[in-house]
Amino acid sequence: MIQTLEVALGERSYPIHIGCDLFSRADLLLPYINRRKVVVLSNTTVAPLYLGMLRSTLEKAGIAVLPIVLPDGEAYKTLASLNKIFDALLGAHCERNTTLIALGGGVIGDMGGFAAACYQRGMPFIQVPTTLLAMVDSSVGGKTAVNHPLGKNMIGAFYQPKLVLADIASLDTLPDRELRAGLAEVIKYGLIRDPEFFAWLEINLENLLARDRGALAYAVHRSCANKAAVVAADERETGERALLNLGHTFGHAIETGLGYGEWLHGEAVAAGTMIACELSRSLGWLTQDQLLRIKALFVRGGLPVAGPKLGAQRYLELMRHDKKVQDGRLRLVLQKGIGSAELSDVASDAQIACAIDNACT
Amino acid sequence: MIQTLEVALGERSYPIHIGCDLFSRADLLLPYINRRKVVVLSNTTVAPLYLGMLRSTLEKAGIAVLPIVLPDGEAYKTLASLNKIFDALLGAHCERNTTLIALGGGVIGDMGGFAAACYQRGMPFIQVPTTLLAMVDSSVGGKTAVNHPLGKNMIGAFYQPKLVLADIASLDTLPDRELRAGLAEVIKYGLIRDPEFFAWLEINLENLLARDRGALAYAVHRSCANKAAVVAADERETGERALLNLGHTFGHAIETGLGYGEWLHGEAVAAGTMIACELSRSLGWLTQDQLLRIKALFVRGGLPVAGPKLGAQRYLELMRHDKKVQDGRLRLVLQKGIGSAELSDVASDAQIACAIDNACT
């Protein structure tokens, strides 16, 4: 069974197909591929697992496949990798209507999307996420980017894919640590706007960890439905979309501060969310009971609930580079109970520093 | 006197102000600058001439100016230069609502615009062109890019400025060779869509070369009016906008083939236009008389009317990387008389090669 959602963005609208064994389904891909050639961007971990399957499906349909395989990991989400992609695209005479397929996790999707946005000022691209995190978050919504030594996702574009193809079966090979990291973004949707989903997660978390396909498909679908609704209302993040960054300003500071790749993005988001929740509690926006309920779910997911001890001043310094800074003030997503969040610059540096100290033990 | 045109693109609409001594006019700039800081990107040639004036105007209005000065020339329109801009922006804690001003010619405008498009996924930017070519062409319409060793403008974005400020007085310091190069793009508008303007140029070309400010202001205004009309009708070049590339596919081959910076862009466009006209003549779209009339105007402008002898096969090979290639076929802008042009893939490789041989002597 395939479930389909639409991200409603006018002429930039696109479908998200969620199901099992989709890599054999040429019929889902062909409408978005021009002519007889397609580029598949992947990494050294995912390519040996799934590139052959996808390639064989496309070649049987008469499409030549140009694979571009990069090293795996957040440390390679750089302008230098991007340049390698451009070299390959130009070397193979790719045109601006050649389609690029990003096959992999968030790093491949972010980089592939940004490369597609820039190549000849924009070529069509398709997201084929193979991690839980990419399926529920990064493959949907058109945020693409690479990192800079001074800040995560600092160089990028808003550029929507033509199609997202989420094959739940590909999660079979996902390492446990990455599955758990993906859960951080799943839990996020419950926290910021979907209290029923949060309650469902409290009941079903162990089914997700056990990779029950029905549970995974439900969680991916519900997460994507939340994300699609937010993105359709606010594509370029002038308002509500900023709430999707719950825990991310703290999380990006953790990732940049420790060096990209040390913690997984989802792990940094989990710890960052707990810092945001601690700050929300200190402001009276969240009760101690709610805080503990949130913490308990992350703990069951095997996720870190305390940030590394970089020192509050170092956190603040790193956070000053974040895209959410406006007019010199840090704007943070804070929790208002469970199921509701708000972007606010109400917290002072001292209050933020205090929450960091309390939540990084 | 200031003349103002609008590029009508809905919520991305913006004004083009054309006049003299505009660098002292803080009132024109301030509506597009957020808060107390602005970035000015320029190069080592233009900065000593005009950065001080612009900076003093802005500082008197209470705006801090962060200058970023790059080496001058097409050879520096690279991803490496772009990275230097990002380093400077992040090092100075620029936010995504900080405005970037591109002060210089086409290279600074293209690179500044692309940097602004990518920095934190998009910061506001202002074009302050100081060459004739940038005033009449590259600063208007939102095409931004850097070059790749295998092809010109291959990596870029469509990203519109908030404002274009064309100070005719700044042309006083433009070297003759660059003034002439700008005329190639001016003549282009006459050729592709404005026969009256072409006739005006036949009468007034020497006034432009003598830097008569009234004539220059008229030519800049009429060129921008043509460009604004085309861009408003076809922002992302799905149709009519492609006609603005008259001579550019051949011209880009000349620039890439000789090495960026050897010929000026306008010079390559002039020679490229003559190749396109020769091809148009061989197809019966242009009479011999019309061809000679066009050639005479370029000659009066001191522009090359023959391409370098790279060999027809080398031209074709370089042109295969052009963005106008679709489904493996070269699409070229061809002249239909004077004042009308058409994008066409009707010419065979042999016909194109023959025109190249005839027009590269």
Side-chain angles (χ1 to χ4, degrees):
Chain A
M1 189 189 75
I2 298 179
Q3 296 181 83
T4 301
L5 285 163
E6 188 181 68
V7 184
L9 289 167
E11 59 180 16
R12 292 186 303 288
S13 295
Y14 53 94
I16 306 169
H17 297 311
I18 301 162
C20 284
D21 304 317
L22 303 185
F23 295 164
S24 59
R25 295 289 298 273
D27 59 311
L28 299 177
L29 290 160
L30 290 181
Y32 307 97
I33 294 175
N34 297 305
R35 291 187 70 239
R36 307 271 63 122
K37 183 162 76 178
V38 73
V39 180
V40 181
L41 178 73
S42 193
N43 67 33
T44 47
T45 304
V46 174
L49 295 169
Y50 300 111
L51 180 58
M53 215 184 293
L54 192 61
R55 184 174 192 157
S56 143
T57 299
L58 290 162
E59 288 180 346
K60 274 184 205 152
I63 309 284
V65 173
L66 169 73
I68 304 177
V69 179
L70 299 175
D72 186 14
E74 186 82 31
Y76 296 95
K77 200 172 117 175
T78 59
L79 274 179
S81 297
L82 204 67
N83 210 7
K84 284 193 186 142
I85 300 173
F86 295 140
D87 289 346
L89 294 174
L90 275 160
H93 289 264
C94 293
E95 300 175 5
R96 68 177 168 195
N97 70 357
T98 304
T99 298
L100 184 148
I101 297 177
L103 172 71
V107 171
I108 288 296
D110 281 9
M111 224 171 2
F114 187 41
C118 299
Y119 185 70
Q120 301 204 10
R121 301 197 186 97
M123 69 196 298
F125 93 108
I126 293 173
Q127 291 274 20
V128 183
T130 60
T131 67
L132 182 59
L133 188 133
M135 287 183 191
V136 300
D137 187 32
S138 57
S139 71
V140 175
K143 276 198 185 178
T144 72
V146 295
N147 299 327
H148 185 280
L150 291 177
K152 196 170 146 80
N153 293 337
M154 278 294 145
I155 316 299
F158 287 97
Y159 193 70
Q160 302 293 341
K162 299 289 178 196
L163 165 73
V164 181
L165 201 67
D167 187 339
I168 300 295
S170 71
L171 298 178
D172 287 355
T173 52
L174 191 68
D176 271 328
R177 184 179 169 196
E178 297 214 31
L179 183 75
R180 292 196 299 269
L183 288 176
E185 299 280 8
V186 172
I187 293 169
K188 174 185 79 178
Y189 295 108
L191 284 173
I192 62 169
R193 69 192 306 274
D194 192 348
E196 275 182 25
F197 187 36
F198 189 87
W200 182 90
L201 287 167
E202 290 187 305
I203 296 167
N204 291 282
L205 198 79
E206 280 69 25
N207 293 330
L208 294 173
L209 289 168
R211 300 176 195 240
D212 176 287
R213 285 193 179 177
L216 283 169
Y218 178 84
V220 170
H221 185 273
R222 186 129 180 177
S223 297
C224 286
N226 273 296
K227 178 131 191 191
V230 171
V231 169
D234 177 24
E235 184 181 9
R236 294 183 78 92
E237 195 169 306
T238 54
E240 184 190 359
R241 183 163 183 171
L243 301 183
L244 296 174
N245 297 306
L246 172 66
H248 281 59
T249 298
F250 295 107
H252 288 167
I254 293 170
E255 289 180 86
T256 309
L258 293 178
Y260 299 123
E262 194 59 35
W263 281 34
L264 295 177
H265 175 63
E267 293 168 343
V269 166
T273 298
M274 288 314 302
I275 306 175
C277 285
E278 170 60 26
L279 181 57
S280 308
R281 189 205 55 75
S282 75
L283 294 168
W285 293 21
L286 198 65
T287 66
Q288 178 69 13
D289 280 356
Q290 289 167 329
L291 181 80
L292 292 176
R293 201 176 140 200
I294 296 165
K295 188 172 185 172
L297 193 58
F298 282 124
V299 168
R300 280 167 62 197
L303 286 159
V305 289
K309 285 185 91 65
L310 304 173
Q313 285 317 308
R314 177 71 178 136
Y315 270 93
L316 285 168
E317 185 189 315
L318 289 161
M319 288 158 67
R320 296 239 162 269
H321 282 294
D322 194 82
K323 294 187 289 297
K324 255 53 77 186
V325 174
Q326 191 172 299
D327 300 347
R329 279 189 80 88
L330 273 171
R331 299 189 303 160
L332 296 166
V333 183
L334 298 175
Q335 278 301 126
K336 291 211 147 170
I338 288 173
S340 170
E342 203 174 298
L343 187 68
S344 166
D345 65 359
V346 73
S348 68
D349 278 8
Q351 287 172 311
I352 297 169
C354 180
I356 292 169
D357 281 341
N358 285 341
C360 300
T361 50
Chain B
M1 190 189 74
I2 298 180
Q3 298 181 80
T4 301
L5 286 163
E6 188 182 67
V7 184
L9 288 167
E11 59 181 16
R12 292 187 302 291
S13 296
Y14 53 94
I16 306 170
H17 297 310
I18 301 163
C20 283
D21 305 316
L22 304 184
F23 294 165
S24 59
R25 295 288 299 272
D27 58 311
L28 299 177
L29 290 160
L30 290 181
Y32 307 98
I33 293 174
N34 297 305
R35 291 188 68 238
R36 308 270 64 122
K37 183 162 75 178
V38 73
V39 180
V40 180
L41 178 73
S42 193
N43 67 33
T44 46
T45 304
V46 175
L49 296 168
Y50 300 112
L51 179 58
M53 216 183 295
L54 193 61
R55 183 174 192 157
S56 143
T57 299
L58 290 162
E59 287 180 348
K60 273 184 207 153
I63 309 284
V65 173
L66 170 72
I68 304 178
V69 179
L70 299 175
D72 186 13
E74 186 82 32
Y76 296 95
K77 200 172 119 175
T78 60
L79 274 179
S81 297
L82 204 68
N83 210 6
K84 284 192 187 142
I85 301 173
F86 295 140
D87 289 346
L89 294 174
L90 275 159
H93 290 265
C94 293
E95 301 175 4
R96 68 177 167 195
N97 70 356
T98 305
T99 298
L100 184 147
I101 298 178
L103 172 71
V107 171
I108 288 296
D110 281 9
M111 222 168 8
F114 188 41
C118 299
Y119 185 70
Q120 301 203 11
R121 301 197 186 95
M123 69 197 297
F125 94 107
I126 293 174
Q127 292 272 22
V128 183
T130 59
T131 67
L132 181 59
L133 189 134
M135 286 183 192
V136 301
D137 187 32
S138 58
S139 71
V140 175
K143 276 198 184 177
T144 72
V146 295
N147 299 327
H148 184 280
L150 291 178
K152 195 171 148 79
N153 293 336
M154 278 293 145
I155 316 300
F158 286 97
Y159 193 68
Q160 302 293 342
K162 300 290 180 197
L163 165 72
V164 180
L165 201 67
D167 187 339
I168 300 296
S170 71
L171 297 179
D172 287 354
T173 52
L174 191 67
D176 271 328
R177 184 179 170 194
E178 296 214 32
L179 183 74
R180 292 194 300 268
L183 288 176
E185 300 279 10
V186 173
I187 293 169
K188 175 185 79 177
Y189 295 109
L191 284 173
I192 62 170
R193 70 192 306 274
D194 193 347
E196 276 182 25
F197 186 37
F198 189 86
W200 182 91
L201 287 167
E202 290 186 306
I203 296 166
N204 291 282
L205 198 77
E206 280 68 26
N207 293 329
L208 294 173
L209 289 168
R211 302 178 195 238
D212 177 286
R213 284 194 180 176
L216 284 169
Y218 178 84
V220 170
H221 185 273
R222 186 127 180 179
S223 297
C224 286
N226 272 296
K227 178 131 190 193
V230 172
V231 169
D234 178 23
E235 184 180 9
R236 296 183 76 92
E237 195 169 305
T238 55
E240 184 191 0
R241 182 162 184 172
L243 301 183
L244 296 175
N245 298 305
L246 172 65
H248 281 61
T249 299
F250 295 106
H252 289 168
I254 293 171
E255 289 179 85
T256 309
L258 294 179
Y260 298 123
E262 195 59 37
W263 281 33
L264 294 178
H265 175 64
E267 293 169 341
V269 166
T273 298
M274 288 314 302
I275 306 175
C277 286
E278 170 60 27
L279 181 57
S280 308
R281 189 204 55 75
S282 75
L283 294 168
W285 293 21
L286 197 66
T287 67
Q288 178 69 13
D289 281 355
Q290 289 167 329
L291 181 80
L292 292 176
R293 199 176 143 200
I294 295 166
K295 189 172 182 172
L297 193 58
F298 282 124
V299 168
R300 280 168 61 197
L303 286 159
V305 289
K309 285 184 91 66
L310 305 173
Q313 287 316 308
R314 177 71 178 136
Y315 270 92
L316 284 168
E317 186 189 315
L318 288 161
M319 288 159 67
R320 296 238 162 272
H321 282 295
D322 194 83
K323 295 187 287 296
K324 256 52 76 185
V325 174
Q326 190 172 299
D327 301 348
R329 280 189 79 88
L330 274 171
R331 298 189 304 160
L332 295 165
V333 184
L334 298 175
Q335 278 300 126
K336 291 211 148 171
I338 288 174
S340 169
E342 201 174 299
L343 187 68
S344 166
D345 66 357
V346 74
S348 69
D349 279 8
Q351 288 172 309
I352 297 170
C354 181
I356 292 168
D357 282 338
N358 286 341
C360 300
T361 51

